[in-house]
Amino acid sequence: MIGASRSVISSVGRRTIAKCSKPILSSSVRYLSTTLNNHNESKIRVKNQYIRSYSSSSTVPLTAETYADKVQRDERFKALDAEDIQYFKSILNDSIIENEDDLLFYNEDWMRKYRGQSKLLLKPKTTEQVSQILKYCNDKKLAVVPQGGNTGLVGGSIPVFDEIILSLSSINKIRSFDSVSGILKCDAGVILETADQYLADQGYIFPLDLGAKGSCHVGGVVATNAGGLRLLRYGSLHGSVLGLEAVLPDGTIYNSMDSLRKDNTGYDLKHLFIGSEGSIGVITGVSILCPARPQAFNVAFLGVSSYEAVQQVFNDARKELSEILSAFEFMDLNSQRLVGQYLKSDHPIESAEYPFYVLIETSGSNKDHDDEKLETFLGTAMENGLVEDGIIAQDETQLKNLWNWRENIPEASQMNGGVYKYDVSIPLKDLYGLVEAANERLEAAGIVDFEDASKPVVKAVGYGHIGDGNLHLNVAVRQYSKAVEKVLEPFVYEWVSSKKGSISAEHGLGFQKKNYISYSKSDIEIKLFKDIKKHYDPNGILNPYKYI
Amino acid sequence: MSSKLRILVPVKRVIDAAIKPRINKTQTGVETKGVKFSINPFCDIALEESIRIREGAKDLVEAIHAVSIGPTKAQDVLRVALAKGADTSTLIDVGEEEVEPLNVAKLLQKVVEKENSNLVILGKQAIDDDSNQTGQMLAGLLNWPQATNASKVEIEGDSVTVTREVDGGSDTLRAKLPLVITTDLRLNEPRYASLPNVMKAKKKPLEKLKASDFGIDIVKRLETLKVDEPPVRAAGIKVETVDELISKLKELKAI
């Protein structure tokens, strides 16, 4: 296509991060990249994904040391020995990793905040192998951490001590797809983007989309009940997952993969596993209902002058765009400043800086119909002074670039050294109040400054799926430190609790929020949870030290 | 004596640059049903350059006129051009016909005469046919100098200095107006069209004409026989030792 330009653009890995600031250059880079290989499985993650820069950061401290006051190794668990390793080798042959350096990647979380001390990683290729592994571990009382794409944001998918890591990466086939019903059945280790690409070729779409799509697994998003960017349109996984295949701690294989759209015969067990974060079973297969892929996508990126305006635009968008609205994200000015530094690029809205920005995505079956609806809505919003300035993407390249200003906020928050993330649900009118309160508290403690490198905190920024009432509070820091953590926790959780919100809207509890569940759930609920855990995992071998 | 610039920017509606085209069932072309179309990236760069020339020197540019030869839907591309800064526009509606570069050049020649343009800036090629001929043919028809594959344009009075991208590096030309310039990738990075401008563009003129209005009869001289996918790249093989590598390379007569 842009033939002659190939000679001048140097080889760039498929959609590497941050090379997307200028529309035309990035489109030719993508051209080159799409003619190269289409692998999705490498550690260099594809499409809007996180590249770990091992060279730039120092070693991550061990979770066990950083949080020694909160957690100790449960001595009921057996320590791994040569006999155990022999047994695993007999089932898996060479699909294991024992080398300490190789294990480093799997022992650390994506945010480089936590590091475990596992001495063994297992990569089963079949569900039966998972069953054999768990049965053995349950008998011997060996602790196990199930791991998918390791993109979790609450330290839930990495060990704390010497738990064995059970990786689902090799269980990664798409089993079947029925193009009449739209039901996709696949292994848990299929990467989300791979599944979506497969569906795209059939004219369907995966009902979930999030920034980590190039690395996260289908099984992982189900285990964490991920929300993502399109929950507004396609609903939660509790609605779209039809059936699961999961291995219980004692090796029993629970299989409801053949479930149909409507089936009222007994307790709906799959809901227990959805969002269970690997605490009562290891998901090995997913059956999910996929909607038809919209033909026409539009993205509008708007600058507005106040949080009230954001809410008003949302109300109007819901009314006027109605069935074609597929995403509504908001972000504050500081988050955009960080992204600008990260992408080394000017903000798409050039006229001025605005306190808040909104990204609206519409998708539907008829481009003309959608264009007209969107333009009418935006015209009215501008005339009413609700929206100060904005951009509608003119082509696919601009569409992806505009999304980058939202999808890169997590990385940009982290680029100075680290980030404390709080993913909360709060009633809409109070939503941004948390960010303001956090910044005030950080100012009062004298530890925050956007430019001054001597202060540990850069800034607290807020953004998120306002359509779902979900705020992501990211406190961008130059280093992780107990002092900063003390200023933020339990302050944030208390603030959220006082507004009757959820301390974890979609990221889950994992390790980070293990002891804070009482901020959002009653004692009775917590007791019922523990009953379930005890029933399915009496030895507590699955993902200990986490969740509840 | 510097004359004011009356710039003509031809823009083409093509399949979106980020989309992978598919061959249609009859293997005579690419599938266009349900596919997203947008402005040709090189035309976008041409438009951006004309706006920058206007922004660079007050009162230098008298008019920027955008023109598109294509189906009725090419209006969308013209509206984008108007939103970004073109003053006026013309659509030459040719229905679903694909128009060959020579015919495009002939039509553009008529438009240049009609609009009294003295500078034509267009993309070096369209990403659907990759012809890279229109600009050159137009210059020939108009008997104007041409500077193709521009990566830098500087205007001083009547004289234009253009740096061109060539295989060996770059080549700098100077010519007097009137002139045809075709744009290459590195000339500039097009801006976003802001919402207020998109709204204002609805009121800017977009005249709709047909090829016959210019007295041009579009005659096809080329017939597409077949369109095929490029051959699938064969899988590579892994070798275990350096000796194996050497023997394989010898087998393939590479060494």
Side-chain angles (χ1 to χ4, degrees):
Chain A
M1 292 269 168
I2 305 188
S5 61
R6 275 193 203 147
S7 56
V8 301
I9 304 289
S10 59
S11 186
V12 176
R14 184 179 146 114
R15 296 187 191 166
T16 45
I17 206 77
K19 302 293 187 292
C20 43
S21 42
K22 330 281 182 191
I24 293 299
L25 274 178
S26 64
S27 77
S28 50
V29 166
R30 285 209 182 89
Y31 255 156
L32 184 59
S33 331
T34 43
T35 62
L36 297 175
N37 63 58
N38 269 309
H39 296 319
N40 276 326
E41 59 173 278
S42 61
K43 281 179 195 165
I44 306 282
R45 312 184 196 202
V46 300
K47 192 168 195 274
N48 290 334
Q49 235 313 44
Y50 319 119
I51 290 181
R52 293 221 209 145
S53 38
Y54 276 92
S55 52
S56 62
S57 301
S58 53
T59 343
V60 179
L62 290 174
T63 312
E65 280 166 19
T66 322
Y67 295 95
D69 54 338
K70 278 217 287 198
V71 65
Q72 277 84 43
R73 187 182 183 285
D74 190 331
E75 290 310 318
R76 287 177 302 155
F77 295 136
K78 177 172 185 282
L80 197 62
D81 62 31
E83 205 190 304
D84 301 321
I85 298 182
Q86 211 28 60
Y87 176 75
F88 294 127
K89 278 193 176 148
S90 72
I91 318 176
L92 300 176
N93 293 330
D94 287 320
S95 299
I96 69 170
I97 297 180
E98 286 178 88
N99 178 291
E100 198 180 319
D101 293 324
D102 293 338
L103 280 170
L104 193 57
F105 179 86
Y106 304 95
N107 263 319
E108 279 178 21
D109 77 317
W110 173 75
M111 293 184 299
R112 309 205 74 214
K113 187 176 172 194
Y114 302 111
R115 179 156 72 97
Q117 305 161 61
S118 177
K119 300 195 175 26
L120 181 66
L121 178 122
L122 303 175
K123 269 190 164 180
K125 292 197 166 80
T126 66
T127 307
E128 284 64 39
Q129 285 175 349
V130 175
S131 170
Q132 285 176 285
I133 292 169
L134 286 184
K135 184 167 188 334
Y136 181 84
C137 291
N138 193 29
D139 289 341
K140 303 279 178 189
K141 299 215 185 14
L142 285 161
V144 175
V145 173
Q147 189 179 88
N150 199 3
T151 57
L153 298 171
V154 286
S157 48
I158 39 141
V160 180
F161 298 98
D162 58 344
E163 300 93 279
I164 299 171
I165 304 175
L166 180 61
S167 169
L168 277 301
S169 302
S170 297
I171 306 185
N172 59 5
K173 305 272 174 309
I174 292 183
R175 298 184 189 182
S176 71
F177 177 69
D178 177 357
S179 59
V180 174
S181 61
I183 298 178
L184 174 74
K185 297 188 189 180
C186 65
D187 288 342
V190 171
I191 292 176
L192 186 60
E193 192 170 40
T194 310
D196 192 47
Q197 226 3 87
Y198 173 85
L199 289 166
D201 293 338
Q202 321 271 340
Y204 282 81
I205 191 171
F206 200 91
L208 184 96
D209 189 20
L210 36 77
K213 61 192 134 205
S215 296
C216 66
H217 292 184
V218 171
V221 299
V222 172
T224 53
N225 190 24
L229 302 159
R230 303 233 169 77
L231 191 117
L232 186 70
R233 171 74 161 256
Y234 298 122
S236 111
L237 285 170
H238 280 289
S240 37
V241 171
L242 295 179
L244 289 178
E245 182 191 79
V247 183
L248 301 181
D250 66 0
T252 312
I253 301 177
Y254 157 73
N255 188 336
S256 61
M257 290 289 282
D258 292 331
S259 280
L260 298 168
R261 187 79 179 87
K262 298 172 84 164
D263 175 14
N264 281 346
T265 53
Y267 298 106
D268 203 348
L269 288 177
K270 64 176 188 285
H271 290 298
L272 266 185
F273 295 98
I274 300 173
S276 62
E277 300 185 35
S279 62
I280 51 173
V282 176
I283 298 174
T284 51
V286 175
S287 170
I288 186 162
L289 184 62
C290 302
R293 198 173 199 91
Q295 297 299 317
F297 282 88
N298 271 322
V299 167
F301 199 89
L302 313 170
V304 300
S305 55
S306 68
Y307 182 64
E308 283 65 38
V310 173
Q311 294 174 80
Q312 193 54 48
V313 172
F314 177 56
N315 275 331
D316 292 347
R318 232 189 341 203
K319 256 190 301 213
E320 294 175 44
L321 298 174
S322 144
E323 78 282 0
I324 63 168
L325 185 63
S326 61
F328 194 100
E329 299 284 312
F330 95 107
M331 46 221 114
D332 65 11
L333 175 56
N334 282 317
S335 69
Q336 298 298 283
R337 283 184 176 146
L338 286 174
V339 176
Q341 284 176 1
Y342 181 67
L343 295 177
K344 298 194 183 31
S345 162
D346 293 326
H347 199 257
I349 297 185
E350 297 172 328
S351 59
E353 280 186 328
Y354 297 100
F356 292 96
Y357 294 90
V358 167
L359 185 150
I360 299 178
E361 184 192 75
T362 66
S363 55
S365 52
N366 185 321
K367 184 169 193 323
D368 294 331
H369 165 258
D370 287 7
D371 284 349
E372 204 185 304
K373 256 174 136 140
L374 185 59
E375 277 184 27
T376 311
F377 163 70
L378 291 173
T380 318
M382 289 225 61
E383 269 165 52
N384 295 339
L386 207 51
V387 168
E388 304 283 333
D389 194 1
I391 292 167
I392 309 184
Q394 78 188 30
D395 55 32
E396 283 296 302
T397 310
Q398 281 193 357
L399 205 133
K400 291 186 170 77
N401 283 337
L402 290 175
W403 263 115
N404 279 333
W405 285 86
R406 161 62 184 87
E407 288 190 301
N408 280 310
I409 299 178
E411 274 124 322
S413 304
Q414 185 166 312
M415 73 180 164
N416 287 303
V419 61
Y420 285 95
K421 283 179 170 301
Y422 301 97
D423 154 54
V424 298
S425 273
I426 309 175
L428 219 52
K429 61 175 172 48
D430 297 320
L431 201 85
Y432 197 68
L434 176 59
V435 183
E436 289 166 341
N439 271 321
E440 267 168 37
R441 196 170 155 88
L442 291 165
E443 288 277 336
I447 50 173
V448 61
D449 194 291
F450 204 86
E451 261 97 49
D452 185 352
S454 68
K455 299 272 158 69
V457 180
V458 180
K459 196 77 178 181
V461 303
Y463 63 99
H465 319 295
I466 196 156
D468 317 329
N470 182 190
L471 173 78
H472 292 306
L473 168 67
N474 273 13
V475 182
V477 298
R478 298 184 172 93
Q479 76 237 50
Y480 290 114
S481 82
K482 278 283 179 197
V484 174
E485 200 174 299
K486 274 204 169 55
V487 172
L488 294 168
E489 296 172 31
F491 168 74
V492 170
Y493 302 133
E494 282 169 356
W495 198 99
V496 171
S497 188
S498 72
K499 308 284 179 198
K500 303 259 190 311
S502 162
I503 55 154
S504 193
E506 56 178 3
H507 290 172
L509 295 170
F511 179 80
Q512 181 182 340
K513 297 177 198 176
K514 176 173 166 33
N515 294 319
Y516 295 106
I517 190 177
S518 52
Y519 283 100
S520 292
K521 289 284 190 298
S522 69
D523 289 341
I524 295 178
E525 286 172 299
I526 296 175
K527 177 177 181 311
L528 292 171
F529 294 156
K530 292 195 186 232
D531 288 345
I532 293 174
K533 168 74 172 173
K534 201 134 185 51
H535 174 78
Y536 285 106
D537 188 15
N539 291 325
I541 59 157
L542 267 192
N543 222 358
Y545 318 113
K546 318 231 180 79
Y547 202 56
I548 50 170
Chain B
M1 231 291 301
S2 61
S3 37
K4 286 197 181 243
L5 293 177
R6 297 182 53 80
I7 308 179
L8 180 68
V9 182
V11 291
K12 190 176 180 184
R13 175 181 182 262
V14 296
I15 293 183
D16 192 298
I19 291 181
K20 190 166 193 271
R22 285 165 202 274
I23 312 261
N24 66 18
K25 292 194 176 54
T26 49
Q27 286 197 303
T28 50
V30 282
E31 190 58 67
T32 53
K33 238 165 82 78
V35 172
K36 175 143 191 190
F37 281 78
S38 312
I39 187 172
N40 182 37
F42 293 104
C43 300
D44 208 5
I45 293 175
L47 178 63
E48 176 68 23
E49 193 60 23
S50 66
I51 300 167
R52 288 194 187 189
I53 292 172
R54 161 182 273 158
E55 287 171 347
K58 256 181 70 119
D59 296 333
L60 174 62
V61 173
E62 190 183 309
I64 299 177
H65 186 83
V67 58
S68 191
I69 300 163
T72 318
K73 282 204 169 162
Q75 281 181 81
D76 298 339
V77 163
L78 287 171
R79 287 271 166 236
V80 169
L82 291 169
K84 288 195 179 186
D87 304 309
T88 49
S89 62
T90 303
L91 167 68
I92 302 179
D93 195 329
V94 295
E96 296 303 317
E97 277 294 313
E98 262 183 52
V99 188
E100 290 162 11
L102 184 55
N103 289 322
V104 173
K106 287 180 180 172
L107 282 165
L108 288 180
Q109 178 191 14
K110 296 284 181 201
V111 178
V112 164
E113 286 163 14
K114 181 171 178 283
E115 299 293 325
N116 196 17
S117 317
N118 57 7
L119 177 62
V120 181
I121 310 182
L122 63 162
K124 71 173 183 182
Q125 66 199 58
I127 60 171
D128 49 10
D129 57 23
D130 280 332
S131 300
N132 197 337
Q133 296 168 9
T134 308
Q136 293 88 329
M137 286 175 172
L138 178 61
L141 289 170
L142 290 169
N143 203 21
W144 287 9
Q146 58 179 269
T148 55
N149 306 350
S151 66
K152 192 152 176 230
V153 172
E154 287 156 312
I155 302 185
E156 258 187 55
D158 262 353
S159 163
V160 183
T161 309
V162 177
T163 311
R164 306 174 53 228
E165 299 258 4
V166 295
D167 283 345
S170 60
D171 172 32
T172 310
L173 298 180
R174 185 172 296 130
K176 275 197 182 313
L177 294 172
L179 174 67
V180 171
I181 300 177
T182 73
T183 64
D184 207 333
L185 211 59
R186 289 225 261 237
L187 180 56
N188 61 45
E189 282 138 30
R191 64 194 62 196
Y192 289 95
S194 77
L195 208 47
N197 288 340
V198 168
M199 301 292 151
K200 282 189 216 142
K202 296 201 169 138
K203 305 201 181 79
K204 288 187 181 177
L206 196 166
E207 72 176 333
K208 296 176 190 163
L209 297 171
K210 290 207 158 33
S212 46
D213 295 335
F214 292 94
I216 304 269
D217 193 15
I218 298 181
V219 170
K220 278 181 109 102
R221 292 154 152 237
L222 302 170
E223 183 196 336
T224 303
L225 296 176
K226 190 160 178 247
V227 182
D228 243 331
E229 297 254 356
V232 177
R233 194 177 154 182
I237 46 167
K238 275 190 179 172
V239 293
E240 296 294 313
T241 65
V242 175
D243 290 325
E244 214 187 315
L245 176 66
I246 294 176
S247 70
K248 279 266 185 275
L249 286 174
K250 282 194 174 149
E251 246 179 76
L252 295 167
K253 303 229 180 356
I255 51 171

